[in-house]
Every structure is written in C-alpha cells, then in structure tokens.
Amino acid sequence: MARIVEFDQELAVRRAMEVFWEKGYKGASLRDLTKAMQINPSSLYNTIGDKQELFVRCIRRYTDDRKEYIAQHAASSRSPLQTLKLFLDDAVTNVITGERSCLAIKAAFEVAGEDERIKSILKDDEDAMYRFLRSLLAKAMKQGEIRKEDPELITDYLLSAYTGWHESFILHRDPVKIQRMARYVLKQLSR
C-alpha cells in the first residue's frame, strides 16, 4: 500500500518560492527545492507535480500576495494621492531593501516568453496593478489632488518605471537614486 504523503503544501510552496526567487527557475535544482521544502522528490511529484508545476504554484502564490496587498491599499480611507504616495514609498522600500528584486519581474524575463501559463498569471497580476493605479490616479484627478492628465498613460509609465527601478538598483545599488526617481514622479503629477 502506498504511503500517504502529508505536509503543509502552502508552507512548502512558500519555501520553494524563496528558492526560485533567489536562484531563478533555471538555476533552482530539484534538490534545492525539495531540501527547502523539507520533503523528498517523490512527495513533490505525488502532490504538486514536477518542477514546472511547482513554479506555477509559486508564481500564483506570489501574485496572490500582491493582489491582497493592492486590496488593502485600495480599501484605505486615505485620499487617493496619499494612497499613491504610500504605495510608491512601499515600492521604493521593496526595491532598495529587497535583496532579490521582484519575483514577477524575474519570472517575466526568464520564463514568461516560453510558458503561456506563467505569462497569463503575470499578465493578470499586472492587470490588477494597472486597475488599482489607474483608479487611484483618476480619483486623485477628479478630487483635484493632481493635475488632469491621461490616467492610462501615467499608469503605464508608473508600471514601467517600477520595473526600471529594479533594474537600476540591481546594477547600481544606489538607494538615493531610486528615492529621487520616485519623488520626481510625484512632483510631476503634482504640478
């Protein structure tokens, strides 16, 4: 009779996510993953599947966490501009204190071009971020907190800037540079 495999899958996926975050999809070996997850390879195959399926689950978990974060900010009672400032402050903090950069950005560059499921998950994640930022900008404009511009264009710009901040920090390790860029964005919106 086959042995019943029991372990906390959510915890195991989070542990595997840390390995993928550090080493990337291609750099993470099955041994690295199962060691971090504190399971044997057969338990992985019997419950989750292969490395690819595990990666999909990790990216879903990561993007679900980000969506929860967005929902918390969206439910904020602050003004739209204050919520946007807090969001950008958090983004800057994430960039300059996160040793490994953004897992979604890493996955987009490493795997999304080759894997439609990962691409779809990441697109859904970006779409959620887009809707959140676009809504904040439109509300801030309507309330006169920032000048009226094209909220879609500004949202696209903010999302691109965030990706660029990660790249800049990876290359230069200059937190002041990232902070200055974020302040500049807010200054441009407030004109």
Side-chain angles (χ1 to χ4, degrees), residues 65-120:
D65 288 348
R66 286 169 38 127
K67 287 175 188 164
E68 290 172 22
Y69 167 82
I70 290 170
Q72 290 172 355
H73 277 291
S76 164
S77 63
R78 295 176 197 86
S79 75
L81 180 59
Q82 285 305 111
T83 302
L84 181 62
K85 285 180 181 179
L86 181 61
F87 176 81
L88 289 176
D89 287 346
D90 287 351
V92 167
T93 299
N94 182 19
V95 170
I96 64 179
T97 63
E99 299 244 340
R100 300 165 296 193
S101 190
C102 173
L103 181 60
I105 293 171
K106 284 182 166 184
F109 285 108
E110 184 182 14
V111 202
E114 305 163 4
D115 187 313
E116 285 300 316
R117 288 189 303 168
I118 297 296
K119 183 178 180 178
S120 176

Side-chain angles (χ1 to χ4, degrees), residues 63 66-67 70 122-134 159:
T63 59
R66 286 169 38 127
K67 287 175 188 164
I70 290 170
L122 294 176
K123 184 179 179 317
D124 182 59
D125 177 59
E126 184 173 287
D127 289 348
M129 185 74 71
Y130 180 93
R131 288 188 300 273
F132 165 70
L133 290 172
R134 178 76 201 47
L159 289 171

